[in-house]
Each structure stands twice: as C-alpha cells, then as structure tokens.
Amino acid sequence: MASATATPEPKVNHIGLPIVEYRGGKSTLCAGCGHNAISERIIQAMYEMGVEPERVMKMSGIGCSSKSPAYFMSRSHSFNSVHGRMPSVSTGAILANSTMTMLGVSGDGDTASIGMGQFVHMMRRNLPMIYIIEDNGVYGLTKGQFSATADIGSKLKTGVINELPPIDTCAMAIQLGATFVGRSFSGDKKQLLAMLKAAIAHKGTVMLDVISPCVTFNDHEGSTKSYKFMQENDEPINDVGFVASFDDIEIDYESGEVYDVEMHDGSSLRLRKLLEDYDPTDKANAVKTLMEAHQKDEVLTGVFYIDTKKPTFIDQLNIVAEPLATLPESVTRPPKSALDGLMASLQ
Ligand SMILES: Cc1ncc(C[n+]2csc(CCOP(=O)(O)OP(=O)(O)O)c2C)c(N)n1
Ligand code: SF4
Ligand SMILES: [Mg+2]
C-alpha cells in the first residue's frame, strides 16, 4: 500500500499566523550588520506576541537603520519619513489612530544628531509607541562619520579619535518622561527578544537603545560599538524574562532576587537583579546608575526604568475612543452655524 506523505502544517501563533506572515523584503544591508539581527528579533517578538500585522504602523527616519522596516512585517503599514523627523510624523499617526501598535526604528544619527529636537519632545509626551535606536555610533549610510552616541576615545578606521562626550539616550529618555527604557545588544538574542515582547505589552513610550555594530565602518579594534567590545564589556543589570498573558508557563530562572512587573495586558515582566539593589521604578537612581557607568566605561544593558501607571498622552488628551482617522466628516467638521456663531462672537 502506498503511504501518503502529507506536507506538515506550518506552526502558527495564537492568532493562527505562521512566522512567514511577519517577514519582510530581502535585506539590502551589509551581511553581518547588527540591524539585520534586530529585524529578526522584531519578527520573532511580533509573531510570538500574536500581534496582527495589519494593526502595526512601522515608522522610520533616514539611515541604514531606518531602511530596516522594509525587511520585516510586509503586511503592516509603513512610513519612511525625513531624516530625524520620525517623531513628529509618528505623533500625528498615533493621534489619528491610537488603536494601532506603533513601532519606530531610528539610528543614533537619526535620533541623537539631526533628530534630537524631535526626540526629546516625543520622550516627554509618553505617547504609546516603541522607539528603537539601532545604535552603531556612526552614520553608516553616509560612510561612517561619528554620531553623537560615539564614546570618548573611540577610534575610526582612519585613526580619528572621538573627543566629545556621548549623549546617553537612555538617561535622557528616563529623565524626560519615557515609561519603559532599556538598552540591549543586537548580539544578545534572548535579552533583546524578552525586551521587545515586554515593549509590545507596555502602554506608553518605550525607548530601547540597541547597540548594533556596523561591520563596514565601526567594527574594528579601537571601536566601542564593535561586536568584540560588546562581548567583552556588556554588563547586564538584570536578567530579563517575559511571559505573555496568554501563556501559562513559569519563567525558567536560576535563583536570585527578582523584581516582578505586571504589564497592562496582564503579561508579566520578571527582572532578576544582577546589580545589587537595583529598583527599575526608581527614576533618579536609574539616571544616576547610567551616569556612574559612563565614569567607569561600563556598557550597562537591561531594563533601566519602567512605570506602568503614568497616563499616556492619548489618555491626557481625553479624546474619543474611536480612531479620529475613521470618524465621519459629519462629526469632525463643525456645522456652518458653529462658524457663524464664532464669527458673530468676535464682532
Ligand atoms: C536632512 C538630511 N541631512 C543629512 C542627510 C544625510 N544622511 C543620511 S543618513 C545620515 C546618517 C544616518 O546615521 P544613523 O541614523 O546613525 O543610521 P545608520 O546608517 O548608522 O544606521 C545622514 C547624515 C539626509 N539624508 N538628510
Ligand atoms: S554600512 Fe554599516 S550600518 Fe549600513 S548596512 Fe552596512 S554594516 Fe549596517
Ligand atoms: Mg548609526
């Protein structure tokens, strides 16, 4: 009797989609670029969290990093804005439809150099958005000039040494009002995946600075954003574990003091303390810890700060629950009588 060899069904997530539905176009970035590894983790996190691709808005500015949204989630909405202007475009988009999940990908140049003015205002508003900086310390797309996150003493391939202090985007974001702030490394799959999944569950501004080596312009001896440097100097402050609300499993952890955070959607984030007495809800201490790390030339990673209670900008505006983008004109446009009344009141 001939045996029928049925093709196995692809594995699906809890909304019935296989991971292929979360993939994007083929990357045109250099092989080995950290940004490609981050796109892979975004795909995995969105798939494992069962986010509907059509409910996601992918935003970016300009740079190799900002090209990344083309390489994940082809079924999602996408807007590649002007250099450093992703925050204002994203603010408009999320106000128009706050029922969407907003994921922005920027670069260290796009954020901390040309885009700093927009970045700081985005952080102080606590808009519901995940803002990722793919941080390689250089302007990769324009051939490797230092960006404002480059460390003092870091050396370019040409031998030029950076003599200016770096801007710590995490310390800034915490101080300004972002409610979930952390740093990771594109080479640390486990930590980055857990942080991205927790970011998806968070309601408010998530700012993740992900060290993402540029293999073409900033991965040599003397660079402080290279794979080797990160492998030798990455100091995690907590071991990040995440369990989604629909999963009924325990986080697999070695013993140690833990800090549990309940997320808005019922998921839980468990941070096992690696740095003694580190409380991720203590804002002043988070900034102080980052400042001290700079003095010791340490690169801290992990979840530095989290606040699940602070209202978002959307909550503060007290706007209707229905997306503004889909409200009919009869609701959004005041009638002529209202305009006439206003004009009369000014006479
Ligand atoms: C208004 C404007 N100024 C300058 C440029 C040139 N430019 C393009 S990308 C870029 C820097 C990108 O660096 P980063 O954001 O760190 O991205 P990476 O390529 O390193 O991922 C610059 C200066 C531009 N496109 N537009
Ligand atoms: S130039 Fe650098 S940042 Fe750009 S794709 Fe290549 S490795 Fe990545
Ligand atoms: Mg860069």
Side-chain angles (χ1 to χ4, degrees):
M1 200 172 89
S3 65
T5 46
T7 317
E9 288 289 318
K11 207 174 145 215
V12 295
N13 63 7
H14 82 276
I15 61 162
L17 293 179
I19 196 159
V20 66
E21 298 296 339
Y22 290 80
R23 298 208 176 279
K26 191 172 176 330
S27 175
T28 59
L29 302 183
C30 307
C33 175
H35 303 349
N36 286 329
I38 300 172
S39 294
E40 280 303 313
R41 295 292 82 68
I42 292 172
I43 291 169
Q44 196 181 350
M46 289 285 183
Y47 163 75
E48 290 183 13
M49 289 295 282
V51 179
E52 247 186 273
E54 287 77 9
R55 306 293 310 155
V56 174
M57 300 198 273
K58 305 179 292 180
M59 312 300 287
S60 65
I62 299 290
C64 298
S65 35
S66 293
K67 286 167 71 180
S68 295
Y71 314 133
F72 59 84
M73 298 183 82
S74 295
R75 284 172 53 170
S76 304
H77 304 267
S78 193
F79 197 100
N80 188 203
S81 74
V82 181
H83 197 21
R85 272 52 170 186
M86 185 254 276
S88 52
V89 179
S90 305
T91 303
I94 199 74
L95 284 177
N97 191 345
S98 59
T99 65
M100 304 286 282
T101 296
M102 170 95 76
L103 172 74
V105 177
S106 182
D108 41 307
D110 193 64
T111 292
S113 298
I114 196 168
M116 186 51 99
Q118 296 224 344
F119 175 72
V120 294
H121 289 282
M122 165 142 272
M123 294 302 121
R124 67 194 268 267
R125 290 190 172 136
N126 197 29
L127 275 155
M129 172 175 193
I130 303 166
Y131 189 110
I132 298 173
I133 304 177
E134 298 189 338
D135 188 357
N136 51 21
V138 288
Y139 303 160
L141 192 69
T142 55
K143 301 205 178 303
Q145 304 86 347
F146 280 128
S147 78
T149 67
D151 298 296
I152 282 193
S154 187
K155 199 202 281 181
L156 284 182
K157 266 187 180 166
T158 53
V160 176
I161 308 265
N162 181 41
E163 284 166 1
L164 290 172
I167 291 174
D168 187 326
T169 50
C170 289
M172 278 190 91
I174 296 168
Q175 196 261 322
L176 288 164
T179 47
F180 184 139
V181 180
R183 176 168 288 130
S184 190
F185 166 43
S186 64
D188 188 339
K189 292 184 185 177
K190 182 173 169 274
Q191 184 197 51
L192 181 56
L193 178 64
M195 281 167 70
L196 285 170
K197 286 164 79 172
I200 295 167
H202 183 70
K203 195 173 156 231
T205 299
V206 177
M207 210 299 285
L208 298 181
D209 177 44
V210 186
I211 308 297
S212 176
C214 167
V215 288
T216 303
F217 296 111
N218 204 14
D219 195 34
H220 48 272
E221 195 66 38
S223 159
T224 57
K225 299 268 195 277
S226 64
Y227 282 108
K228 186 164 179 276
F229 187 88
M230 278 307 289
Q231 273 142 11
E232 288 170 0
N233 293 279
D234 181 356
E235 294 277 346
I237 61 160
N238 37 40
D239 202 351
V240 187
F242 179 79
V243 175
S245 57
F246 48 82
D247 276 338
D248 194 19
I249 50 168
E250 276 293 302
I251 303 177
D252 173 23
Y253 263 137
E254 302 134 46
S255 57
E257 225 186 315
V258 292
Y259 202 100
D260 280 318
V261 186
E262 196 186 328
M263 312 297 286
H264 295 95
D265 65 350
S267 302
S268 60
L269 174 65
R270 172 164 285 197
L271 304 171
R272 187 167 66 85
K273 294 180 190 179
L274 298 179
L275 193 71
E276 217 182 316
D277 294 332
Y278 192 80
D279 170 2
T281 64
D282 182 341
K283 194 169 182 167
N285 185 50
V287 175
K288 182 169 159 267
T289 304
L290 285 168
M291 295 294 102
E292 285 171 357
H294 279 293
Q295 281 161 2
K296 292 186 259 170
D297 288 332
E298 280 175 358
V299 188
L300 300 184
T301 59
V303 176
F304 301 142
Y305 181 66
I306 186 159
D307 176 356
T308 56
K309 305 276 181 311
K310 187 175 162 181
T312 69
F313 191 54
I314 305 284
D315 299 330
Q316 282 179 323
L317 287 179
N318 201 18
I319 48 180
V320 288
E322 198 179 331
L324 300 184
T326 53
L327 285 176
E329 202 176 306
S330 58
V331 177
T332 54
R333 187 176 188 157
K336 186 170 181 307
S337 56
L339 183 62
D340 290 344
L342 178 69
M343 293 309 282
S345 72
L346 296 174
Q347 278 167 7

